[in-house]
Amino acid sequence: MKKIISLAVASTLTCGITFAKEIKVGAVMPMSGPIAQYGQVCYLGLELANKLQPTLKNGDTIKIVLADNKGDKVETATATTRLISSDNVVAILGALTSTNTAQTIAIAEKKKVPVIASVATNDKLTAKREYANRVCFTDSFQGEVVANYAISQGYKTAVVVVDQAQVYSLGLAKAFEHAFKAKGGKILEKIKVTSGDKDFKAVVSQIKQLNPDFMFLPLYHPEASMIARQSKQLGVNKPMFSGDGVANQTFIDLGGDAVEGYMFTDFFDYTNPPSKTSADFVAFHEKETGKKEVNSFTALGADTYNILIDAMNRCEDPTDSVCINQKIKETKNFDGVSGMISIDKEGNSTRSAVIKEVKDGKMVYKATVNP
Amino acid sequence: MDVLTFFQQMVNGFSLGSMYALIAIGYTMVYGVLRLINFAHGDIMMVGAFLGYTFMEVFQLPFTLSILLAVVVSSLLGIFMDKIAYKPLREAPKISLLITAIGISFFLENAFTVFAGGVPRAFPVPSYMENVINVANITFSVSSITVPLVTLVLLLGILYVLYKTKYGMAIRALSFDIKTVNLMGIDANLIISIVFALGSALAAVGGLFWAINYPSVEPMMGVLVGLKAFAAAVVGGIGSVTGAVIGGFIIGFTEVVVIAFFPELGGYKDAFAFVFLILVLLFKPTGIMGEDLEKSRF
């Protein structure tokens, strides 16, 4: 009897060694709450990328462990800690907004777990952090793109409405102001609002009185859509421009007619896939979801996953987080879904931006801006 | 600031304030009768807006009918809430009631998050509500002028019920002493149900107007509005219906004035509502229209 048991134990052990391992990768995303839209489309990207490429070169399978942060800072911290300490993930993808990603990075940094942010654009996120990386551009680049556009259209004066509760908004506003002033533009007023506000009639009346050439609204879609609607109601007809925070269908649903002509910067346009990898992903997306439109957050979500897998493949031990982190930072000219991505030593990526406009309730591609 | 912008801002404040006022009336009425600050009130407002959305989008009912149904169902929900959560606690200390109210508030928020998801949905507003009226270069939408009118009509209606009807007399009597009123042959539970129905209906109207003016609905929409309406009720003198309306306008105007005169401080406008609350509690704890605690609550 003893022999049989020991034989059984031995055989299971050897089997365990020869069988491929399952490696866990964490994802922190707002799947519910006010900005759930972002998390849901971004997570779709992870899921699809995972379906396309479920294993590493050595045969290990990748399992994504999802934690919902409800778009909240405290929930993000809890979720990150849980993923690292109880799920033992080798890396964390996401946290979406800059405010929340900052929380994730702060915790992961201490535990030496690499983070790849999908759409967190705040400049300071990766500063002095060794384990922070991103696939999106930074706000200073995005702000400059908007400022250049405004100047090229002959707009001389601007009003900026900034959401003081969001790091993303503050950073983007600052970058725009800096670039716009440097090119001879004038900021007439900077009006502060708080996310969650619904009534912007006082703000819009203020803008009407100031009569700027251009409105820059570095906000998320719930606030930006309300400002657009109330501007229409109060008869303010100025060109409105936002960052990537409004690049989703909910923005158009909430804004209705009022967001016609609204412009924004984005990362990716599915109607102009920059490479074959990208076109293939768009096709796969349509096959899986039945929808042609690929949200840019979905593309970036897929890229966080693909770059991570690429880095893991280049490590001898794909669970060695120090090595993974180093390889992520050595990513050069990676053929991503959202375009060519290179990641530098600071963890920031060099990539192009896309300018889009809302036309007939659709996001329409206008131009690609290279760094 | 020119005169035009000033008047424009006053119109803005008026329309915002009347929405707070609508919701504050419900707070004040329930408090007047039960001495309960019904923290679930803001969430009833959210439920009202969601019901309107559901009737229109899911059942494809016409706008006016959906609004009416939403108000009726919300007031039934108010009665139901009282029956299952507050009635068993009539004899319990007030703090238990308060904790229950917070519990219901969380329950409603999370239940709606489960069923409706957290993504804000666009509220279908009929186009005539969004038409813009321009009077001497001051512009406002039809919806933002409808709210103050409806608030006024409802305020007068509530005052009529309170002071000219038998039930109103019973409600006022109840606000003095529930036990004695029971001895006088009045069904206190029935009266309390009426108060909850009226309060919830007003909250639903407030929520529907909120959704019409800012066309999106999401499960957390009632949280901050509810708190501000509560501040409005206290500033006006909790227990006083007229006070609630005045308090609502004060909070609404404060927000607008902060943005209009100090755009740099605009992000802190929510804080100003609560600064008012603190000041009132410090210097006139019973609020602007609040009378001696011994007198009638309405």
Side-chain angles (χ1 to χ4, degrees), chain A residues 140-217:
Chain A
S140 46
F141 175 62
Q142 192 174 189
E144 215 177 299
V145 168
V146 182
N148 283 341
Y149 173 82
I151 294 289
S152 75
Q153 297 291 308
Y155 304 140
K156 299 228 159 46
T157 54
V159 165
V160 180
V161 181
V162 59
D163 181 345
Q164 58 157 20
Q166 300 293 346
V167 181
Y168 160 74
S169 185
L170 291 165
L172 186 50
K174 203 172 151 196
F176 169 77
E177 278 175 63
H178 188 76
F180 193 62
K181 276 186 204 155
K183 295 192 167 59
K186 191 168 173 257
I187 308 284
L188 295 180
E189 189 83 70
K190 188 167 149 187
I191 303 173
K192 289 184 178 169
V193 299
T194 309
S195 26
D197 286 354
K198 290 274 160 56
D199 190 288
F200 294 102
K201 293 211 181 91
V203 172
V204 173
S205 305
Q206 180 83 358
I207 296 174
K208 191 179 184 182
Q209 189 204 2
L210 291 164
N211 196 24
D213 294 339
F214 182 73
M215 281 162 78
F216 184 51
L217 313 168

Coordinates of all heavy atoms in Angstrom, one line a residue, chain A residues 140-217:
Chain A
S140 N 1.6 65.9 -21.7 CA 2.4 67.0 -22.3 C 2.4 66.9 -23.8 O 2.2 67.9 -24.5 CB 3.8 67.2 -21.7 OG 4.4 65.9 -21.7
F141 N 2.4 65.7 -24.3 CA 2.3 65.5 -25.7 C 0.9 65.8 -26.2 O 0.7 66.5 -27.2 CB 2.7 64.0 -26.1 CG 2.6 63.7 -27.5 CD1 3.3 64.3 -28.5 CD2 1.7 62.7 -27.9 CE1 3.2 64.0 -29.8 CE2 1.5 62.4 -29.3 CZ 2.3 63.1 -30.2
Q142 N -0.1 65.3 -25.5 CA -1.5 65.5 -25.9 C -1.8 67.0 -25.9 O -2.5 67.5 -26.8 CB -2.3 64.7 -24.9 CG -3.8 64.6 -25.3 CD -4.6 63.6 -24.4 OE1 -5.7 63.3 -24.8 NE2 -4.1 63.2 -23.3
G143 N -1.4 67.7 -24.8 CA -1.7 69.1 -24.7 C -1.1 69.9 -25.8 O -1.7 70.8 -26.3
E144 N 0.1 69.5 -26.2 CA 0.8 70.2 -27.3 C 0.1 70.0 -28.6 O -0.1 70.9 -29.4 CB 2.2 69.6 -27.4 CG 3.3 70.6 -27.8 CD 4.6 70.0 -27.8 OE1 5.1 69.6 -26.7 OE2 5.2 70.0 -28.9
V145 N -0.4 68.7 -28.8 CA -1.1 68.4 -30.0 C -2.4 69.4 -30.2 O -2.6 70.0 -31.2 CB -1.6 66.9 -30.1 CG1 -2.6 66.7 -31.2 CG2 -0.4 66.0 -30.2
V146 N -3.1 69.5 -29.0 CA -4.3 70.3 -29.0 C -3.9 71.8 -29.3 O -4.5 72.5 -30.1 CB -5.1 70.2 -27.7 CG1 -6.3 71.1 -27.7 CG2 -5.4 68.8 -27.5
A147 N -2.9 72.3 -28.6 CA -2.4 73.7 -28.7 C -2.0 74.0 -30.1 O -2.4 75.0 -30.7 CB -1.3 74.0 -27.7
N148 N -1.2 73.0 -30.7 CA -0.8 73.2 -32.1 C -2.0 73.3 -33.1 O -2.0 74.2 -34.0 CB 0.0 72.0 -32.6 CG 1.4 72.1 -32.0 OD1 1.9 73.2 -31.6 ND2 2.1 71.0 -32.0
Y149 N -3.0 72.5 -32.8 CA -4.2 72.5 -33.7 C -4.9 73.8 -33.5 O -5.2 74.4 -34.5 CB -5.1 71.3 -33.3 CG -6.4 71.4 -34.0 CD1 -6.6 70.9 -35.3 CD2 -7.5 72.1 -33.4 CE1 -7.8 71.1 -36.0 CE2 -8.7 72.2 -34.1 CZ -8.8 71.7 -35.4 OH -10.0 71.8 -36.0
A150 N -5.1 74.3 -32.3 CA -5.8 75.5 -32.0 C -5.1 76.7 -32.7 O -5.7 77.5 -33.4 CB -5.9 75.8 -30.5
I151 N -3.8 76.7 -32.6 CA -3.0 77.8 -33.2 C -3.1 77.8 -34.8 O -3.3 78.8 -35.4 CB -1.5 77.8 -32.8 CG1 -1.4 78.0 -31.3 CG2 -0.7 78.7 -33.6 CD1 -1.7 79.5 -30.9
S152 N -3.1 76.5 -35.3 CA -3.1 76.3 -36.7 C -4.5 76.8 -37.3 O -4.6 77.1 -38.5 CB -2.8 74.9 -37.1 OG -3.9 74.1 -36.8
Q153 N -5.5 76.7 -36.4 CA -6.8 77.2 -36.9 C -7.0 78.7 -36.7 O -8.1 79.2 -36.9 CB -7.9 76.4 -36.1 CG -7.9 74.9 -36.3 CD -8.4 74.6 -37.7 OE1 -9.4 75.0 -38.2 NE2 -7.5 73.8 -38.4
G154 N -6.0 79.3 -36.2 CA -6.1 80.8 -36.0 C -6.8 81.2 -34.7 O -7.3 82.3 -34.5
Y155 N -7.0 80.2 -33.7 CA -7.6 80.6 -32.5 C -6.6 81.3 -31.6 O -5.5 80.7 -31.3 CB -8.2 79.4 -31.8 CG -9.2 78.6 -32.6 CD1 -9.2 77.2 -32.6 CD2 -10.1 79.3 -33.4 CE1 -10.1 76.5 -33.4 CE2 -11.0 78.6 -34.2 CZ -11.0 77.2 -34.2 OH -11.9 76.5 -34.9
K156 N -6.9 82.4 -31.0 CA -5.9 83.2 -30.2 C -6.2 83.1 -28.7 O -5.3 83.2 -27.9 CB -5.8 84.6 -30.7 CG -5.4 84.8 -32.2 CD -4.4 85.8 -32.4 CE -3.6 85.6 -33.7 NZ -4.5 85.4 -34.8
T157 N -7.5 83.1 -28.4 CA -7.8 83.1 -27.0 C -8.6 81.8 -26.6 O -9.3 81.3 -27.4 CB -8.7 84.3 -26.6 OG1 -9.8 84.3 -27.5 CG2 -8.0 85.6 -26.8
A158 N -8.3 81.3 -25.4 CA -9.0 80.1 -25.0 C -9.4 80.2 -23.5 O -8.9 80.9 -22.7 CB -8.0 78.9 -25.1
V159 N -10.5 79.4 -23.2 CA -10.9 79.2 -21.8 C -10.7 77.7 -21.5 O -11.0 76.9 -22.4 CB -12.4 79.6 -21.6 CG1 -12.9 79.1 -20.3 CG2 -12.6 81.1 -21.7
V160 N -10.1 77.5 -20.4 CA -9.9 76.1 -20.0 C -10.8 75.7 -18.8 O -10.9 76.5 -17.9 CB -8.4 75.9 -19.6 CG1 -8.2 74.4 -19.2 CG2 -7.5 76.3 -20.7
V161 N -11.5 74.6 -18.9 CA -12.3 74.2 -17.8 C -11.7 72.9 -17.2 O -11.5 71.9 -18.0 CB -13.8 73.9 -18.2 CG1 -14.6 73.4 -17.0 CG2 -14.4 75.1 -18.8
V162 N -11.2 73.0 -16.0 CA -10.4 71.9 -15.5 C -11.1 71.2 -14.3 O -11.8 71.9 -13.5 CB -9.0 72.4 -15.1 CG1 -9.1 73.5 -14.0 CG2 -8.1 71.3 -14.6
D163 N -11.1 69.9 -14.3 CA -11.6 69.1 -13.2 C -10.6 69.0 -12.1 O -9.6 68.2 -12.2 CB -12.0 67.7 -13.7 CG -12.7 66.9 -12.6 OD1 -12.6 67.2 -11.5 OD2 -13.3 65.9 -13.0
Q164 N -10.8 69.7 -11.0 CA -9.7 69.8 -10.0 C -9.6 68.5 -9.2 O -8.7 68.3 -8.4 CB -9.9 70.9 -9.1 CG -11.3 70.9 -8.4 CD -11.3 71.6 -7.2 OE1 -10.5 72.5 -7.0 NE2 -12.3 71.3 -6.3
A165 N -10.5 67.6 -9.4 CA -10.5 66.3 -8.6 C -9.7 65.3 -9.3 O -9.6 64.2 -8.8 CB -11.9 65.9 -8.2
Q166 N -9.3 65.5 -10.6 CA -8.7 64.5 -11.4 C -7.3 64.9 -11.8 O -7.1 65.9 -12.4 CB -9.5 64.2 -12.6 CG -10.9 63.7 -12.4 CD -10.9 62.3 -11.7 OE1 -9.9 61.6 -11.7 NE2 -12.1 61.9 -11.2
V167 N -6.3 64.1 -11.5 CA -4.9 64.3 -11.8 C -4.8 64.5 -13.3 O -4.1 65.3 -13.9 CB -4.0 63.2 -11.4 CG1 -2.6 63.4 -11.7 CG2 -4.2 62.9 -9.9
Y168 N -5.5 63.6 -14.1 CA -5.5 63.7 -15.5 C -5.9 65.0 -16.1 O -5.2 65.6 -16.9 CB -6.6 62.6 -16.0 CG -7.0 62.8 -17.5 CD1 -6.2 62.5 -18.5 CD2 -8.3 63.4 -17.7 CE1 -6.7 62.7 -19.8 CE2 -8.7 63.5 -19.0 CZ -7.9 63.2 -20.1 OH -8.3 63.4 -21.3
S169 N -7.0 65.6 -15.5 CA -7.4 66.9 -16.0 C -6.5 68.0 -15.7 O -6.2 68.8 -16.5 CB -8.8 67.1 -15.3 OG -9.4 68.3 -15.8
L170 N -5.9 68.0 -14.5 CA -5.0 69.1 -14.1 C -3.8 69.0 -14.9 O -3.3 70.0 -15.4 CB -4.7 68.9 -12.6 CG -5.8 69.2 -11.6 CD1 -5.5 68.6 -10.2 CD2 -6.1 70.7 -11.5
G171 N -3.2 67.8 -15.1 CA -2.0 67.7 -15.9 C -2.2 68.1 -17.4 O -1.3 68.8 -17.9
L172 N -3.3 67.7 -17.9 CA -3.6 68.0 -19.3 C -3.8 69.5 -19.5 O -3.3 70.1 -20.5 CB -4.8 67.2 -19.8 CG -5.1 67.2 -21.3 CD1 -3.9 67.0 -22.2 CD2 -6.2 66.2 -21.6
A173 N -4.5 70.1 -18.6 CA -4.8 71.5 -18.7 C -3.5 72.3 -18.6 O -3.2 73.2 -19.4 CB -5.7 72.0 -17.5
K174 N -2.6 71.9 -17.7 CA -1.3 72.5 -17.5 C -0.5 72.4 -18.8 O 0.1 73.4 -19.3 CB -0.6 71.9 -16.4 CG 0.5 72.8 -15.7 CD 1.0 72.1 -14.5 CE 2.4 72.6 -14.2 NZ 3.1 71.7 -13.2
A175 N -0.4 71.2 -19.4 CA 0.3 71.0 -20.6 C -0.2 71.9 -21.8 O 0.6 72.5 -22.5 CB 0.3 69.5 -21.0
F176 N -1.5 71.9 -21.9 CA -2.1 72.7 -22.9 C -1.8 74.2 -22.7 O -1.3 74.9 -23.7 CB -3.6 72.6 -22.9 CG -4.3 73.5 -23.8 CD1 -4.3 73.4 -25.2 CD2 -5.0 74.7 -23.3 CE1 -5.0 74.3 -26.1 CE2 -5.6 75.6 -24.1 CZ -5.6 75.4 -25.5
E177 N -2.0 74.7 -21.5 CA -1.7 76.1 -21.2 C -0.3 76.5 -21.6 O 0.0 77.5 -22.2 CB -1.9 76.4 -19.7 CG -3.4 76.6 -19.3 CD -3.5 76.8 -17.8 OE1 -2.9 77.7 -17.3 OE2 -4.1 75.9 -17.2
H178 N 0.6 75.6 -21.2 CA 2.0 75.9 -21.4 C 2.3 76.0 -22.9 O 2.9 77.0 -23.4 CB 2.8 74.7 -20.8 CG 4.3 74.9 -20.8 ND1 4.9 75.8 -19.9 CD2 5.2 74.4 -21.6 CE1 6.2 75.8 -20.2 NE2 6.4 75.0 -21.2
A179 N 1.8 75.0 -23.7 CA 2.1 75.0 -25.1 C 1.4 76.1 -25.8 O 1.9 76.7 -26.8 CB 1.7 73.6 -25.7
F180 N 0.1 76.4 -25.4 CA -0.7 77.4 -26.1 C -0.1 78.8 -25.9 O 0.0 79.6 -26.8 CB -2.1 77.4 -25.5 CG -3.1 78.1 -26.3 CD1 -3.4 77.8 -27.6 CD2 -3.8 79.2 -25.7 CE1 -4.4 78.5 -28.3 CE2 -4.8 79.9 -26.4 CZ -5.0 79.6 -27.7
K181 N 0.4 79.1 -24.6 CA 1.0 80.4 -24.3 C 2.3 80.5 -25.1 O 2.6 81.6 -25.6 CB 1.2 80.5 -22.8 CG 0.0 81.0 -22.0 CD 0.5 81.2 -20.6 CE -0.7 81.1 -19.7 NZ -0.3 80.8 -18.3
A182 N 3.1 79.4 -25.1 CA 4.4 79.5 -25.8 C 4.2 79.8 -27.3 O 5.1 80.4 -27.9 CB 5.1 78.1 -25.6
K183 N 3.1 79.5 -27.8 CA 2.8 79.8 -29.3 C 2.1 81.0 -29.5 O 1.5 81.3 -30.6 CB 2.1 78.6 -29.9 CG 3.0 77.3 -29.9 CD 2.4 76.2 -30.7 CE 3.4 75.1 -30.9 NZ 3.9 74.5 -29.6
G184 N 1.9 81.8 -28.4 CA 1.3 83.2 -28.6 C -0.2 83.2 -28.3 O -0.8 84.2 -28.5
G185 N -0.7 82.1 -27.8 CA -2.1 82.1 -27.4 C -2.3 82.7 -26.1 O -1.4 82.9 -25.3
K186 N -3.6 83.1 -25.7 CA -3.9 83.7 -24.4 C -5.0 82.9 -23.7 O -6.0 82.6 -24.3 CB -4.3 85.1 -24.7 CG -4.3 85.9 -23.4 CD -4.5 87.4 -23.7 CE -4.7 88.2 -22.4 NZ -6.1 88.6 -22.2
I187 N -4.7 82.5 -22.5 CA -5.7 81.9 -21.7 C -6.6 82.9 -21.0 O -6.0 83.7 -20.1 CB -5.1 80.9 -20.6 CG1 -4.1 80.0 -21.2 CG2 -6.2 80.2 -19.9 CD1 -4.6 78.8 -22.0
L188 N -7.8 83.1 -21.3 CA -8.6 84.1 -20.7 C -9.0 83.8 -19.3 O -9.1 84.7 -18.4 CB -9.9 84.3 -21.5 CG -9.7 84.8 -23.0 CD1 -11.1 85.0 -23.6 CD2 -9.0 86.2 -23.0
E189 N -9.3 82.5 -19.1 CA -9.8 82.1 -17.7 C -9.6 80.6 -17.6 O -9.8 79.9 -18.6 CB -11.2 82.5 -17.5 CG -11.7 82.4 -16.1 CD -11.4 83.6 -15.2 OE1 -11.9 84.7 -15.4 OE2 -10.5 83.4 -14.3
K190 N -9.3 80.2 -16.4 CA -9.3 78.8 -16.1 C -10.4 78.5 -15.1 O -10.3 79.1 -13.9 CB -7.9 78.4 -15.5 CG -7.7 77.0 -15.4 CD -6.2 76.8 -15.2 CE -5.9 75.6 -14.3 NZ -4.5 75.6 -14.0
I191 N -11.4 77.8 -15.4 CA -12.5 77.6 -14.5 C -12.4 76.2 -13.9 O -12.2 75.2 -14.7 CB -13.9 77.8 -15.2 CG1 -13.9 79.2 -15.8 CG2 -15.0 77.6 -14.3 CD1 -15.1 79.5 -16.7
K192 N -12.5 76.1 -12.6 CA -12.4 74.8 -12.0 C -13.8 74.2 -11.7 O -14.7 74.9 -11.2 CB -11.6 75.0 -10.7 CG -10.2 75.2 -10.9 CD -9.4 75.3 -9.6 CE -8.0 75.5 -9.8 NZ -7.3 75.8 -8.6
V193 N -13.9 72.9 -12.0 CA -15.1 72.2 -11.7 C -14.7 70.9 -10.9 O -13.5 70.6 -10.8 CB -16.0 71.9 -12.9 CG1 -16.4 73.1 -13.6 CG2 -15.2 71.0 -13.9
T194 N -15.7 70.1 -10.5 CA -15.4 68.9 -9.8 C -16.1 67.7 -10.5 O -17.3 67.9 -10.8 CB -15.8 68.9 -8.3 OG1 -15.2 70.1 -7.8 CG2 -15.3 67.7 -7.6
S195 N -15.5 66.6 -10.7 CA -16.2 65.5 -11.3 C -17.4 65.1 -10.5 O -17.4 65.1 -9.3 CB -15.3 64.3 -11.5 OG -14.3 64.2 -10.6
G196 N -18.5 64.8 -11.2 CA -19.8 64.5 -10.5 C -20.7 65.7 -10.6 O -21.9 65.6 -10.5
D197 N -20.2 66.9 -10.9 CA -21.1 68.1 -11.2 C -21.9 67.8 -12.4 O -21.5 67.1 -13.3 CB -20.2 69.3 -11.5 CG -19.5 69.9 -10.3 OD1 -19.8 69.3 -9.2 OD2 -18.8 70.8 -10.4
K198 N -23.2 68.3 -12.3 CA -24.1 68.2 -13.5 C -24.4 69.6 -14.0 O -24.7 69.7 -15.2 CB -25.3 67.5 -13.0 CG -25.1 66.0 -12.7 CD -25.2 65.1 -14.0 CE -24.5 63.8 -13.8 NZ -25.0 63.0 -12.7
D199 N -24.5 70.5 -13.1 CA -25.0 71.8 -13.5 C -23.8 72.7 -13.9 O -23.0 73.1 -13.0 CB -25.8 72.5 -12.5 CG -26.5 73.7 -13.0 OD1 -25.8 74.8 -13.2 OD2 -27.7 73.7 -13.2
F200 N -23.7 73.0 -15.2 CA -22.6 73.9 -15.6 C -23.1 75.2 -16.2 O -22.3 75.9 -16.9 CB -21.7 73.1 -16.6 CG -21.0 71.9 -16.0 CD1 -21.5 70.7 -16.2 CD2 -19.9 72.1 -15.2 CE1 -20.9 69.6 -15.7 CE2 -19.3 71.0 -14.6 CZ -19.8 69.7 -14.9
K201 N -24.3 75.5 -15.9 CA -24.9 76.7 -16.6 C -24.1 77.9 -16.1 O -23.9 78.8 -16.9 CB -26.4 76.8 -16.2 CG -27.2 75.7 -16.8 CD -28.6 76.2 -17.2 CE -29.4 75.0 -17.8 NZ -30.1 74.3 -16.7
A202 N -23.7 78.0 -14.9 CA -23.0 79.1 -14.4 C -21.6 79.2 -15.1 O -21.2 80.3 -15.5 CB -22.8 79.1 -12.9
V203 N -21.0 78.1 -15.3 CA -19.7 78.0 -16.0 C -19.9 78.5 -17.4 O -19.1 79.3 -17.9 CB -19.1 76.6 -15.9 CG1 -17.9 76.5 -16.8 CG2 -18.8 76.2 -14.5
V204 N -20.9 78.0 -18.1 CA -21.1 78.3 -19.5 C -21.4 79.8 -19.6 O -20.9 80.4 -20.5 CB -22.2 77.4 -20.1 CG1 -22.5 77.8 -21.5 CG2 -21.8 75.9 -20.1
S205 N -22.3 80.3 -18.7 CA -22.6 81.7 -18.8 C -21.3 82.6 -18.7 O -21.1 83.6 -19.3 CB -23.5 82.1 -17.7 OG -24.7 81.4 -17.7
Q206 N -20.4 82.1 -17.8 CA -19.1 82.8 -17.6 C -18.3 82.8 -18.9 O -17.8 83.8 -19.3 CB -18.4 82.0 -16.5 CG -17.0 82.5 -16.2 CD -17.1 83.6 -15.2 OE1 -18.2 84.0 -14.8 NE2 -16.0 84.2 -14.8
I207 N -18.3 81.6 -19.6 CA -17.6 81.5 -20.8 C -18.2 82.4 -21.9 O -17.5 83.0 -22.7 CB -17.6 80.0 -21.3 CG1 -16.8 79.2 -20.3 CG2 -16.9 79.9 -22.7 CD1 -16.8 77.7 -20.6
K208 N -19.5 82.4 -21.9 CA -20.2 83.3 -22.9 C -19.8 84.7 -22.8 O -19.5 85.4 -23.8 CB -21.7 83.2 -22.6 CG -22.6 83.8 -23.8 CD -24.1 83.6 -23.4 CE -24.9 84.1 -24.5 NZ -26.4 83.9 -24.2
Q209 N -19.6 85.2 -21.5 CA -19.2 86.6 -21.3 C -17.8 86.8 -21.7 O -17.4 87.8 -22.3 CB -19.4 86.9 -19.8 CG -19.2 88.3 -19.5 CD -18.8 88.6 -18.1 OE1 -18.6 87.6 -17.3 NE2 -18.6 89.8 -17.7
L210 N -16.9 85.8 -21.5 CA -15.5 85.9 -21.8 C -15.3 85.9 -23.3 O -14.3 86.5 -23.8 CB -14.7 84.8 -21.2 CG -14.6 84.9 -19.6 CD1 -14.1 83.6 -19.1 CD2 -13.6 86.0 -19.2
N211 N -16.2 85.2 -24.0 CA -16.1 85.1 -25.5 C -14.8 84.7 -26.1 O -14.2 85.4 -26.8 CB -16.6 86.5 -26.1 CG -16.9 86.3 -27.5 OD1 -17.3 85.2 -28.0 ND2 -16.8 87.4 -28.3
P212 N -14.3 83.5 -25.7 CA -13.0 83.0 -26.2 C -13.2 82.5 -27.7 O -14.3 82.2 -28.1 CB -12.7 81.9 -25.3 CG -14.0 81.3 -24.9 CD -15.0 82.5 -24.9
D213 N -12.0 82.3 -28.3 CA -12.0 81.7 -29.7 C -12.2 80.2 -29.6 O -12.6 79.5 -30.5 CB -10.7 81.9 -30.4 CG -10.5 83.4 -30.7 OD1 -11.5 84.1 -30.7 OD2 -9.3 83.8 -30.9
F214 N -11.8 79.6 -28.4 CA -11.6 78.2 -28.3 C -11.9 77.7 -26.9 O -11.5 78.4 -25.9 CB -10.2 77.9 -28.7 CG -9.7 76.5 -28.7 CD1 -10.2 75.7 -29.7 CD2 -8.8 76.0 -27.8 CE1 -9.7 74.3 -29.8 CE2 -8.4 74.7 -27.8 CZ -8.8 73.9 -28.8
M215 N -12.5 76.6 -26.7 CA -12.7 76.0 -25.4 C -12.0 74.7 -25.2 O -12.2 73.8 -26.0 CB -14.2 75.7 -25.1 CG -15.1 76.9 -24.8 SD -16.8 76.6 -25.1 CE -17.2 75.6 -23.7
F216 N -11.1 74.6 -24.3 CA -10.4 73.4 -24.0 C -11.0 72.8 -22.8 O -11.0 73.4 -21.7 CB -8.9 73.6 -23.9 CG -8.2 72.3 -23.8 CD1 -8.4 71.2 -24.6 CD2 -7.2 72.1 -22.7 CE1 -7.7 70.0 -24.5 CE2 -6.6 70.9 -22.6 CZ -6.8 69.9 -23.4
L217 N -11.5 71.5 -22.9 CA -12.2 70.9 -21.8 C -11.5 69.6 -21.4 O -12.0 68.5 -21.9 CB -13.7 70.6 -22.1 CG -14.4 71.8 -22.7 CD1 -15.8 71.3 -23.2 CD2 -14.6 72.9 -21.7

